Amino acid sequence: MKTVFITGATSGIGEACAEKFAQNNYNLILLARREEKLIQLKNDLEKKYSISIKIICADVRNYSDLEKKLTQLTDTKIDILINNAGLSLGLGPIHEGDISQWDTMIDTNVKGLLYVTRLISPIMLKQNSGHIINISSIAGRETYANGNVYCATKHAVDSISKAIRIDMLPYGIKVTNIAPGMVNTNFSLVRFNGDKNRADSVYKGIEPLYAIDIAESVYFAGAQADNVNLNDIVITPKFQANATTSIRKE
Ligand code: NDP
Ligand code: 8X3
């Protein structure tokens, strides 16, 4: 049986990936900060599918804690790593920016992804096989008004994916970068600090993507023949052309 390691598995895209891979007979290693949600997911998915699930309650920003917890995995085969944990906080011009929100976004979306990759890639090197799938964003391709630091973190993910693809080439480890547009998850609720009206307005008049739509593409990338690597996938809802152009119904 194959094993997939998913960060940010307690919600949205990560949770949908957990279910999609479980359905397809993968064992799971699920990482996030909310332990109760991880335990609930483990119980639900193990009951529903004949798979085994390890949970790791950790914050991707804390390297020493990750190191302690992930070095226990050295005997576990990891076929796919999905670097998905991430967030956006706030939306505003640079001169009004909140420094602690910037730090959280940079530490989670960029440094957290690097920390996890630093710890898991040697396991893949030892195996001489593996696949790293990074969840970037359309905000990693284009910059939109007031998105400054979040867009910068996702541009960094885009660049890191390209760099890791080169680093991993001699070892036969694949790297895929997935860049979704609008996906209706808890993303906007987190961005707007729990303001549900504001979060809902992001998806008003347009049918957004759902977490499962992204999980389908992640699974598709992971299920390619061994000789095939999907480098980049950009996914938007039907009525979104790019980060700043979409058609909304009144
Ligand atoms: P959600 O808010 O629904 O999920 C985010 C997940 O990340 C949660 O499971 C959360 O778990 C985890 N997480 C956040 N911070 C940390 C941390 N410090 N350490 C460990 N886990 C963390 O949002 P999405 O599912 O939408 O977001 C997933 C990824 O997709 C993000 O990288 C986001 O930038 C990206 N994305 C989202 C888009 C969208 O429109 N929704 C579009 C493009 C990209 P917990 O709180 O339990 O730690
Ligand atoms: C999330 C999509 O366009 O809100 O990365 O930045 S967007």
Side-chain angles (χ1 to χ4, degrees):
M1 257 169 105
K2 289 187 172 178
T3 299
V4 59
F5 184 121
I6 305 170
T7 70
T10 49
S11 172
I13 296 169
E15 186 174 355
C17 286
E19 174 114 29
K20 179 72 191 174
F21 279 88
Q23 273 168 7
N24 285 282
N25 211 32
Y26 273 74
N27 289 324
L28 310 178
I29 304 170
L30 306 179
L31 182 149
R33 292 166 301 177
R34 283 172 290 169
E35 191 166 28
E36 255 176 53
K37 189 83 214 276
L38 284 170
I39 293 169
Q40 187 195 323
L41 255 177
K42 176 177 163 67
N43 292 340
D44 291 352
L45 294 179
E46 278 183 342
K47 205 180 289 170
K48 223 161 141 193
Y49 306 102
S50 297
I51 57 161
S52 83
I53 301 179
K54 275 193 190 125
I55 54 173
I56 301 173
C57 181
D59 187 324
V60 294
R61 292 172 294 175
N62 185 337
Y63 185 76
S64 59
D65 187 49
L66 281 178
E67 193 177 26
K68 236 184 291 155
K69 290 172 176 161
L70 299 193
T71 43
Q72 292 163 14
L73 296 174
T74 42
D75 293 332
T76 311
K77 187 164 186 287
I78 298 175
D79 298 281
I80 300 177
L81 163 63
I82 305 173
N83 275 316
N84 163 75
L87 80 175
S88 175
L89 294 173
L91 187 70
I94 205 76
H95 55 279
E96 291 172 8
D98 178 317
I99 302 297
S100 84
Q101 292 185 335
W102 293 357
D103 287 344
T104 304
M105 287 188 278
I106 293 166
D107 290 350
T108 308
N109 301 356
V110 184
K111 290 165 71 181
L113 180 144
L114 287 170
Y115 292 167
V116 173
T117 307
R118 175 67 185 86
L119 291 164
I120 300 300
S121 54
I123 298 176
M124 293 182 166
L125 250 69
K126 233 170 51 190
Q127 299 167 178
N128 253 307
S129 70
H131 191 169
I132 298 169
I133 302 180
N134 292 333
I135 306 299
S136 173
S137 168
I138 200 152
R141 301 298 176 96
E142 298 162 58
T143 305
Y144 51 81
N146 298 321
N148 40 60
V149 175
Y150 177 68
C151 292
T153 65
K154 291 300 181 176
H155 275 71
V157 172
D158 196 77
S159 171
I160 289 165
S161 296
K162 289 179 189 134
I164 301 176
R165 193 173 298 122
I166 298 166
D167 295 343
M168 294 293 112
L169 205 54
Y171 310 102
I173 295 162
K174 304 186 204 183
V175 178
T176 298
N177 190 79
I178 299 194
M182 253 181 255
V183 193
N184 195 351
T185 61
N186 283 322
F187 176 84
S188 293
L189 205 59
V190 171
R191 170 173 248 175
F192 300 124
N193 194 25
D195 182 337
K196 188 159 171 4
N197 285 337
R198 199 163 172 208
D200 288 347
S201 72
V202 173
Y203 313 108
K204 205 163 168 220
I206 187 166
E207 184 171 14
L209 297 166
Y210 303 104
I212 180 62
D213 301 323
I214 308 306
E216 293 287 349
S217 288
V218 173
Y219 183 75
F220 179 74
Q224 291 301 303
D226 186 52
N227 62 317
V228 178
N229 183 41
L230 291 180
N231 286 225
D232 272 296
I233 306 178
V234 181
I235 316 166
T236 62
K238 187 163 69 170
F239 288 105
Q240 179 181 22
N242 56 40
T244 52
T245 316
S246 44
I247 302 280
R248 291 173 193 267
K249 289 195 195 107
E250 283 307 305

